[in-house]
């Protein structure tokens, strides 16, 4: 499934042909182990985010937001710190063809939106949430954007194999 034609970027070819790319393709255990860790990472990431976003949208309204966030946010960050490098290892196996895949590009776009949304949330609505203890309309909007972005990332990731 290599796509090493004239339109392939040299760094993608180099990554794919590197010892890392070769090892990921040739090992019977390495690829599945990395894929499992990638899945665990995004389960932690998205699971934590979905719980937090649903709380922002009114689910379990009796649950105080700040204590919930003290658990959910570190789990989400741990999940991202596991999923991202494992995803890079998976990418190295067929970097040239995956980079050209529409579903992969959609996935990366959704991840970027999700990360930018999280940063914007922590700079704005999160501060007012902690100060006033209320979930503002901006926090709810951020939760909707987050749910859509991370759902899109999962959908895009799953569709890579089919597009």
């Amino acid at each position: 499934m290599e796509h090493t034609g004239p339109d392939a970027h040299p760094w993608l070819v180099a990554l794919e042909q590197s010892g890392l790319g070769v090892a990921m393709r040739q090992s019977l255990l390495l690829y599945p182990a990395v894929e499992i860790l990638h899945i665990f990472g995004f389960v932690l990431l998205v699971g934590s985010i979905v719980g937090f976003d649903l709380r922002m949208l009114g689910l379990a309204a009796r649950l105080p937001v700040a204590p919930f966030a003290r658990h959910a946010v570190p789990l989400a960050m741990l999940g991202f710190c596991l999923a991202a490098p494992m995803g890079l290892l998976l990418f190295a196996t067929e970097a040239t063809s995956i980079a050209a895949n529409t579903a992969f590009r959609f996935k990366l776009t959704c991840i970027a939106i999700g990360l930018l949304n999280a940063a914007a949330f922590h700079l704005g609505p999160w501060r007012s949430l902690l100060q006033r203890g209320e979930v503002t309309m901006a926090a709810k909007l951020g939760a909707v954007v987050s749910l859509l972005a991370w759902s899109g990332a999962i959908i895009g990731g799953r569709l890579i194999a089919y597009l």
Side-chain angles (χ1 to χ4, degrees):
M1 191 189 264
E2 288 188 20
H3 185 255
T4 56
D7 57 335
H9 293 283
W11 73 270
L12 294 170
V13 174
L15 177 61
E16 190 173 294
Q17 294 175 355
S18 70
L20 180 64
V22 171
M24 285 293 295
R25 283 190 304 278
Q26 291 181 349
S27 172
L28 291 175
L29 297 176
L30 188 56
Y31 188 93
V34 168
E35 188 170 35
I36 288 167
L37 290 173
H38 184 65
I39 292 168
F40 279 148
F42 75 70
V43 165
L44 274 175
L45 169 67
V46 177
S48 300
I49 289 171
V50 166
F52 184 76
D53 289 342
L54 291 176
R55 172 57 190 92
M56 293 294 95
L57 294 172
L59 187 69
R62 290 185 188 175
L63 183 63
V65 174
F68 183 78
R70 279 194 289 276
H71 295 286
V73 171
L75 284 175
M77 291 187 337
L78 175 64
F80 183 80
C81 288
L82 181 60
M86 295 303 110
L88 180 59
L89 291 173
L90 295 171
F91 178 71
T93 62
E94 297 180 37
T96 54
S97 62
I98 293 172
N101 186 298
T102 305
F104 177 72
R105 291 178 178 192
F106 176 74
K107 174 183 178 171
L108 290 186
T109 300
C110 289
I111 291 170
I113 291 168
L115 291 173
L116 289 171
N117 183 63
F121 180 81
H122 284 282
L123 293 174
W126 177 246
R127 291 178 191 242
S128 64
L129 185 70
L130 290 178
Q131 291 169 352
R132 295 185 203 108
E134 66 184 49
V135 178
T136 63
M137 188 54 72
K140 290 179 181 181
L141 177 62
V144 170
V145 170
S146 176
L147 287 168
L148 292 172
W150 294 111
S151 295
I154 290 173
I155 291 165
R158 190 63 204 120
L159 290 177
I160 291 170
Y162 301 101
L163 298 181

